């Protein structure tokens, strides 16, 4: 059983929406690709959160590539 919980803060949700729009403005479909990669990243975090760098107390950071 996973002892960690993936928490996405309100500020992060806002940034994700803004990023989606920015990518879609650059090229149709790019925002969808961004969301897909983000969802894949969330799944990896949920499966193995301890793989990611601890940044502050109990907070960890995962970076998207591409």
């Amino acid at each position: 059983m996973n002892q960690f919980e993936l928490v996405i803060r309100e500020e992060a949700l806002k940034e994700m929406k803004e990023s989606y729009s920015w990518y879609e403005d650059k090229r149709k479909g790019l925002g969808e690709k961004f969301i897909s990669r983000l969802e894949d990243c969330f799944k990896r975090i949920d499966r193995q959160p301890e793989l990611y760098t601890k940044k502050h107390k109990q907070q960890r950071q995962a970076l998207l590539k591409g």
Side-chain angles (χ1 to χ4, degrees):
M1 185 172 172
N2 192 347
Q3 65 180 349
F4 297 99
E5 177 184 5
L6 177 62
V7 176
I8 303 170
R9 294 184 177 181
E10 195 69 35
E11 298 87 15
L13 288 173
K14 182 181 178 205
E15 189 173 329
M16 284 183 262
K17 290 176 186 177
E18 290 171 356
S19 297
Y20 170 85
S21 294
W22 186 86
Y23 283 117
E24 279 296 304
D25 286 346
K26 296 299 173 194
R27 189 175 76 213
K28 182 101 171 118
L30 204 52
E32 292 300 323
K33 187 174 182 178
F34 165 73
I35 294 298
S36 177
R37 290 204 177 175
L38 195 57
E39 289 172 346
D40 289 344
C41 185
F42 290 159
K43 289 174 189 173
R44 285 192 306 276
I45 292 169
D46 194 47
R47 281 193 307 267
Q48 294 181 294
E50 62 281 348
L51 291 180
Y52 298 91
T53 306
K54 224 180 225 189
K55 287 296 184 179
H56 178 71
K57 296 182 183 180
Q58 295 302 313
Q59 297 175 359
R60 294 177 184 265
Q61 178 181 356
L63 302 175
L64 292 180
K65 293 182 181 178

